[in-house]
Amino acid sequence: MKIIVGEGINEYYAQTLAMLFFPGAKFPKQSEEDPDPSELEVSCTEENGVYVARARMKRDDGKEVTGEGSFVPEEGVTVHRGKKLAVGRAVFAAGKELFGVQPPWGVLTGVRPAKVAAEFLAAGGGIQKTRQYLKTEYFLSQKKAALCASVAASELKLRKQLSPDMCSVYIAIPFCPTRCAYCSFVSYTTPRLLSMIDDYLDRLIVEITAVFGHIARTGQRLATVYVGGGTPTILSPDQLRKLLGVISRLTDVSSLLEFTVEAGRPDTITEEKLAVCKEYGVTRISVNPQSLSDAVLENIGRKHTSMDFFRAYGIARESGIRDINVDLIAGLPGDNFTRFARTLDRVCELDPGNITVHSFCVKKSSEFLSRDAEIFKRSSSDAVKCVDYSQLKLRNTGYKPYYLYRQKNTIGNLENVGFAREGREGIYNVVMMEEFHSVYGAGAGAVTRLVSWKPDAVKAEKIKRIINPKYPYEYLRGDANGADIEKRLWEAEQAFAESGEECATEAPDNE
C-alpha cells in the first residue's frame, strides 16, 4: 500500500490510520515493488488558526474518496496532538465513506489508549465527561469510550499506591518448551539453545546484582519485580531457586507491592517449582491456557491439553501464592464464539484473582502468517462477539477492567484487557502501560525505561529507553562486569536527568 504524507505529518502515524481500514496492509520502501494499488494521501495545513487536514483514500478496486477533518487549537493540547487529531479525523471520514464502517476505537491508534483518558481524568474531568470527550474528540464507540474511561480511573487509583521514589525491575527468561504458532517473541525452544540456560542464568545474575545495587545506591525503592519470558517455569526447581534466591538476597521481597513469576505454560508447572516460588516470596503467577478447547490448542501449537491446565491451576491454588492470573485469547484460528464462551465460563468458575483477555494478533514472524497470508482478512465478527461477551461476563461476575493495551494487526482492531477482583490488580502491568515510574530491565531483550515526572503532573515529562541485546547468544557475548553495568546505568541516568528530551508519550505509538 502506498502512503503519501504532507509536510509535518509522521508517516508511521499515517500507516497506523490506514490499517484501521486496510487490515494487514504492508508498506514497502520506495525501492521495492508494491503489488497493492491501494493508497492513502494525507496533508494538514493551518487555516485561519484552525488545523485542517485532508485525506484521499483509494482501495484496490480503484474506488477513491476524500475526507476532511479539523481541530481548533485549545489550551493544554500541543500542536503535535492537534494536528494528529485533524489528520485522524480526515482519514476516519474517508474510510467511513469508502468502506461504510466506523472503527470502534475511532482515531486512537496506539498501544496505550487509556493514557489519553487518564490525562483528561487527572486534569479534572469526571468519568461521564471523559467518556463524552473520547466519543466527541476521538470518535470512540460508546462501548470503547466506557471501557477506556473505566480503565483510566482504575489506573489512577493504583498510581496512588506508588511514591515518587519507587521503581520496578523486569527480568527476562527468553526460553520456551515449544513455540506457539501465533508467537513472535524472542524465545528459544531447540535443545541446543535450551542448553544455554545455565550460562544464561550466570550472566543474568551478574546483571541483576548490578541493577539491584544501583537501585539501592540511588535511594530508590522497589515496588514490583516481574520475571517474564518466554516461560520462566521452563527453569528446573534448582535453577529457579538459584535465580529467586539471588533476588531475595538483594532486596527485602516482603516489602514489595508485587513479585511476579509469569509461569505461563501449564505443561511446565510442577508442585516443586511453585513451592520454590512461594519460598522466595513470589506473590503473583500466571497460568495461561489461552483456550480450553483441545482442538484449538493443537492448532496453535500448544503442547498441552485443557486437563493439563486444570492440573496446573490446582497446583497453583494449593501453593498458597496470593494471586493467580489466567490469560485467554479471543479470535484464535480454529476457535469460535461457542468454544471461547465455554472456556471463559469455566475459567470464571475457578475464580482467579486476574483474568486477562487478549485479542488474536497476527505477528509478522509468526508461523500462522507463513501458513496463511490472508489471515489478516478473515472475518472478525466472531472475535468481536467473544471480546464483547468477555467484558460483559467478567463485569457481571465481579471483575473490573484495570489495564488495557492494543497492538497492530489485531483481528477486528480489538484490544487486550486485564480484569481483576478488587485489590488483586497486577500493579506491574499498569506501571508498564502508563509509565508511572522507571523500570529496569535485565536479560536478553529486556528494556530499561527511565521515566521522569514533575510534581502533580498528569503524564511523564521524559522517557528514555535502554535496550539490551535481543538474543541470548548476543547477551552471553557481553563481557561487562557488574561494576561496568552499574556505571553505564549511572551515566545514562545522569545524562537523562540533564537532558531536555521531549517526552516519548507524544510519539505516535503511545497515544
Side-chain angles (χ1 to χ4, degrees), residues 412-434:
N413 193 32
L414 294 165
E415 63 275 5
N416 309 308
V417 187
F419 290 83
R421 296 290 189 197
E422 188 70 37
R424 291 289 177 257
E425 299 86 356
I427 297 171
Y428 174 84
N429 291 328
V430 177
V431 165
M432 282 298 295
M433 279 301 106
E434 301 310 319

Side-chain angles (χ1 to χ4, degrees), residues 227-479:
V227 182
T231 306
T233 43
I234 196 171
L235 302 181
S236 70
D238 285 343
Q239 290 168 334
L240 267 175
R241 189 180 301 279
K242 180 177 180 179
L243 174 63
L244 300 182
V246 166
I247 295 170
S248 69
R249 287 196 297 274
L250 293 171
T251 192
D252 177 10
V253 295
S254 67
S255 68
L256 296 174
L257 298 177
E258 182 179 276
F259 186 5
T260 299
V261 172
E262 189 183 4
R265 294 279 291 265
D267 45 334
T268 65
I269 293 173
T270 67
E271 291 183 21
E272 188 176 1
K273 290 179 184 180
L274 295 198
V276 173
C277 291
K278 174 65 175 176
E279 177 185 350
Y280 287 101
V282 170
T283 60
R284 187 175 186 271
I285 60 171
S286 289
V287 186
N288 302 332
Q290 316 302 13
S291 171
L292 293 180
S293 164
D294 288 342
V296 173
L297 290 171
E298 182 177 0
N299 188 48
I300 64 176
R302 301 279 282 196
K303 302 301 181 184
H304 65 82
T305 65
S306 57
M307 292 310 297
D308 290 329
F309 164 72
F310 287 111
R311 174 198 61 81
Y313 187 88
I315 292 172
R317 182 71 86 189
E318 292 300 315
S319 72
I321 293 172
R322 186 184 70 202
D323 294 323
I324 304 173
N325 172 74
V326 176
D327 275 8
L328 303 176
I329 300 178
L332 284 167
D335 207 357
N336 58 36
F337 173 74
T338 301
R339 285 174 170 171
F340 176 83
R342 187 181 302 124
T343 289
L344 182 64
D345 291 348
R346 294 172 75 187
V347 169
C348 285
E349 290 171 3
L350 298 173
D351 194 29
N354 288 246
I355 299 175
T356 305
V357 180
H358 299 269
S359 299
F360 175 59
C361 183
V362 186
K363 300 289 190 178
K364 64 180 180 180
S365 58
S366 71
E367 181 186 332
F368 272 132
L369 193 54
S370 64
R371 288 191 209 169
D372 180 6
E374 296 298 305
I375 196 167
F376 291 108
K377 295 181 171 59
R378 71 186 182 87
S379 172
S380 61
S381 59
D382 235 28
V384 172
K385 284 175 62 179
C386 291
V387 168
D388 284 349
Y389 176 75
S390 71
Q391 294 176 9
L392 181 63
K393 169 76 176 182
L394 288 166
R395 284 179 181 273
N396 289 342
T397 313
Y399 291 87
K400 294 181 179 179
Y402 76 95
Y403 93 106
L404 161 69
Y405 69 101
R406 296 173 62 221
Q407 297 166 283
K408 287 193 302 182
N409 293 329
T410 298
I411 188 167
N413 193 32
L414 294 165
E415 63 275 5
N416 309 308
V417 187
F419 290 83
R421 296 290 189 197
E422 188 70 37
R424 291 289 177 257
E425 299 86 356
I427 297 171
Y428 174 84
N429 291 328
V430 177
V431 165
M432 282 298 295
M433 279 301 106
E434 301 310 319
E435 298 161 328
F436 285 152
H437 61 220
S438 295
V439 177
Y440 295 86
V447 178
T448 291
R449 184 183 298 175
L450 303 177
V451 179
S452 173
W453 284 75
K454 286 184 176 179
D456 302 319
V458 297
K459 66 177 181 179
E461 175 194 14
K462 296 186 297 182
I463 299 170
K464 180 179 179 64
R465 292 165 179 82
I466 306 167
I467 303 171
N468 274 3
K470 185 175 182 180
Y471 301 104
Y473 54 83
E474 292 178 322
Y475 182 74
L476 285 171
R477 290 189 196 127
D479 57 1

Side-chain angles (χ1 to χ4, degrees), residues 40-62:
L40 173 64
E41 181 178 4
V42 290
S43 63
C44 186
T45 58
E46 186 175 346
E47 301 176 12
N48 299 318
V50 177
Y51 305 126
V52 179
R54 294 174 177 86
R56 178 183 62 84
M57 186 179 288
K58 184 175 79 171
R59 64 189 188 197
D60 57 6
D61 64 1

